Amino acid sequence: QTRVYGRDRVRFMESLVVGDIGELKPGQGTLTLLTNERGGIVDDLIVTNASEDHLYVVSNAGCADKDLAIMRGRAAELQAAGSDIRLEVSDNALLALQGSPSMARVLQAGLSDDLAKLSFMNSITTTVFGVPGCRVTRCGYTGEDGVEISVPAGRAVELAERLLGVPEVWPAGLAARDSLRLEAGLCLYGNDIDETTTPAEAGLLWTLGKRRRAAMDFPGAAVIMAQVKEKPKRKRVGLTSGVEAASPCSSPCVLTSPGMVTSGCPSPSLGKNIAMGYVEAAHSRAGTALTVEVRKKQHPALVTKMPFVPTQYYMAK
């Protein structure tokens, strides 16, 4: 978690990512992509226009060191040219409380703010079950209604234990997180997107702001916008299969086109196996029959629209 201060903070952030950070209202955030000059995805970030005169940036933990090095390098360049930018790395912990409809009921009991007024991808700074200075963002990685709570590190265990003291709250491991995010069609950095994949290939062109597309002022813009115009040669797709075991990550997708399965697991919600991966664009239409290789055996699979399970993001009325 990083905070970006200074009057040039939006220009600084937009020199690194593809999103329209300038259009964000106070408290509003967006998923955006940190790209390189080849159009590859260095990381996916959530950038929020915090109402306390700074941008709040959440990186993937596995990418934190490289992201911070890039941000510090760019900040130094702009500062040398007279820009007003200051980075502050937070030592807060991040707790995710997820699940419709229980999350809202559980969390509301510990808040004075009205959660019904907080829409998806918006955040507030508040006191959570007696712990002040928490940033509650209505987002998460499950496809369900949920929040991520940035909490001062010294009180993170206290807040976690307080939440886990509620009978309907359970700790969730990575397997639960992974099956939920895959059912929701959400990419996992390092599996489904990385520095060799572009937003166009990954089906993430919706992260490109309209103004940013026209200005072409983000890293890799020439490569990415050429793919917007000419269409990429490969695309990320969803797959469903009736095989007994899930397709392991990085298992090749064969037969009608060379490709690669990047994520796969049994879907608890659907009772069948789901996966996502990359195939040649000609074979990316929903309903296309492919073959996946699982443990050196070939099995039929079907290109399927995502999300596999409808999402439950909350939009305030």
Side-chain angles (χ1 to χ4, degrees):
Q1 302 169 65
T2 308
R3 301 183 185 98
V4 184
Y5 293 90
R7 64 177 179 272
D8 298 311
R9 61 190 181 276
V10 169
R11 183 165 67 91
F12 160 76
M13 206 68 226
E14 289 189 349
S15 74
L16 298 172
V17 303
V18 303
D20 191 340
I21 308 305
E23 74 171 0
L24 296 175
K25 299 174 183 177
Q28 183 181 21
T30 186
L31 177 73
T32 191
L33 304 175
L34 178 65
T35 50
N36 59 32
E37 294 299 335
R38 301 180 303 279
I41 301 170
V42 177
D43 197 9
D44 56 320
L45 312 173
I46 292 181
V47 179
T48 298
N49 178 17
S51 52
E52 299 88 349
D53 298 324
H54 67 272
L55 299 176
Y56 168 60
V57 182
V58 179
S59 308
N60 280 298
C63 298
D65 290 343
K66 70 173 182 179
D67 290 0
L68 188 58
I70 291 170
M71 291 174 70
R72 281 175 169 163
R74 184 60 55 84
E77 291 175 5
L78 294 179
Q79 287 164 348
S83 294
D84 178 26
I85 301 158
R86 180 169 60 86
L87 303 183
E88 180 182 289
V89 180
S90 171
D91 65 353
N92 278 17
L94 201 60
L95 302 177
L97 183 67
Q98 302 282 307
S100 319
S102 301
M103 181 284 296
R105 184 169 61 251
V106 168
L107 190 61
Q108 187 63 74
L111 291 183
S112 56
D113 296 87
D114 185 2
L115 264 183
K117 296 180 180 179
L118 189 66
S119 280
F120 178 60
M121 294 305 294
N122 282 262
S123 74
I124 53 173
T125 301
T126 185
T127 297
V128 182
F129 286 103
V131 179
C134 294
R135 177 168 290 279
V136 176
T137 305
R138 201 156 198 164
C139 68
Y141 209 53
T142 61
E144 296 296 314
D145 184 21
V147 295
E148 290 185 345
I149 307 169
S150 178
V151 53
R155 303 191 70 176
V157 172
E158 171 191 340
L159 180 55
E161 290 179 342
R162 177 67 179 80
L163 291 169
L164 289 168
V166 179
E168 57 196 306
V169 177
W170 291 73
L174 289 179
R177 187 287 309 264
D178 209 40
S179 64
L180 285 163
R181 69 94 189 167
L182 187 51
E183 289 179 340
L186 302 176
C187 295
L188 177 63
Y189 192 86
N191 281 48
D192 310 300
I193 51 176
D194 58 28
E195 295 192 31
T196 70
T197 54
T198 68
E201 293 171 336
L204 296 174
L205 287 176
W206 59 269
T207 62
L208 273 65
K210 184 177 180 181
R211 173 174 61 85
R212 307 302 310 283
R213 292 183 188 221
M216 291 183 63
D217 56 354
F218 51 86
V223 175
I224 294 168
M225 294 311 297
Q227 289 186 344
V228 171
K229 184 177 181 180
E230 301 165 9
K231 306 303 180 186
K233 294 180 180 179
R234 63 171 186 158
K235 289 185 178 181
R236 178 174 63 94
V237 298
L239 299 166
T240 53
S241 178
V243 300
E244 294 181 3
S247 307
C249 293
S250 300
S251 175
C253 179
V254 296
L255 190 62
T256 56
S257 71
M260 185 69 70
V261 172
T262 53
S263 293
C265 72
S267 166
S269 301
L270 300 177
K272 56 185 174 182
N273 295 294
I274 60 174
M276 66 171 72
Y278 288 84
V279 299
E280 290 180 356
H283 305 292
S284 62
R285 186 183 297 274
T288 302
L290 300 175
T291 297
V292 293
E293 185 176 289
V294 182
R295 299 186 182 91
K296 298 184 179 180
K297 293 184 178 180
Q298 294 186 2
H299 300 272
L302 201 64
V303 175
T304 306
K305 289 184 178 180
M306 294 185 286
F308 299 100
V309 176
T311 55
Q312 300 289 332
Y313 303 130
Y314 174 81
M315 303 305 296
K317 296 179 181 178

